[in-house]
Amino acid sequence: AAAMFGFGYAMVPFYDRICLALGVNSLFAREELPANTQVDSTRTVTIEFDANVHGMPWRFQPAVRHLDVHPGELVHVEYEIANVRSAAVTGHAVPSYGPALAGQYFRKLECFCFKPQTLAAGETRTLPVTFLIDPALPREVHTITLSYTFFEVAGLGGKS
């Protein structure tokens, strides 16, 4: 039993050296991760954020009004929304883009617009959007406006 324990104990440094040599499952400090080659750092696109509500008792606004990003760069932004009605309300956000062709180059990975949002009476919430701009975006596009409009969804946690 003592010999088996000693053998197992001696295998740890041997295992670490093999993994380090092969570059897999290393327990040692890793080198800096390689840069994302999908990012076009030679270009900057200004993203403008807009927020609207259509006939709803909500306050809705982006946390930042504009942001400069490189195509291919992963971006995370937030919107703040508040229900000022004394009852729960459900709404669904519809995105739009300016110029219109920008929509096909806007890749959302996470967005509150993917499903309806129900806010309790007086509730305030922060809603995330994670996206990137496809590097194939035409070079003549320097500014994109991302606009969300919330519409009330009748029969889901609000007035019908």
Side-chain angles (χ1 to χ4, degrees):
M4 291 303 290
F5 176 79
F7 179 74
Y9 187 79
M11 288 302 294
V12 173
F14 182 67
Y15 175 78
D16 286 341
R17 294 292 174 208
I18 289 174
C19 290
L20 183 62
L22 297 174
V24 294
N25 201 26
S26 177
L27 299 176
F28 294 99
R30 296 182 189 259
E31 305 266 329
E32 189 173 317
L33 294 175
N36 182 350
T37 58
Q38 302 290 322
V39 176
D40 182 356
S41 58
T42 65
R43 295 174 58 194
T44 301
V45 178
T46 300
I47 310 298
E48 297 174 340
F49 302 99
D50 182 45
N52 306 285
V53 292
H54 185 266
M56 294 181 67
W58 285 3
R59 282 191 319 267
F60 179 46
Q61 65 186 17
V64 295
R65 294 284 175 196
H66 60 85
L67 200 59
D68 291 332
V69 303
H70 297 291
E73 175 183 12
L74 191 62
V75 180
H76 181 83
V77 296
E78 294 179 334
Y79 282 75
E80 184 178 283
I81 192 160
N83 178 7
V84 297
R85 186 182 283 168
S86 59
V89 178
T90 298
H92 197 261
V94 176
S96 60
Y97 308 90
L101 75 93
Q104 62 189 311
Y105 300 98
F106 214 95
R107 308 279 185 255
K108 285 184 265 175
L109 305 172
E110 176 183 10
C111 183
F112 57 87
C113 64
F114 292 160
K115 63 182 183 175
Q117 302 293 321
T118 301
L119 272 68
E123 180 181 3
T124 298
R125 189 182 300 165
T126 301
L127 304 173
V129 179
T130 303
F131 67 90
L132 62 88
I133 304 300
D134 191 322
L137 176 74
R139 287 202 165 275
E140 60 270 9
V141 177
H142 302 287
T143 302
I144 298 174
T145 301
L146 171 61
S147 180
Y148 287 103
T149 302
F150 258 104
F151 295 91
E152 188 167 352
V153 179
L156 294 176
K159 76 174 191 184
S160 300

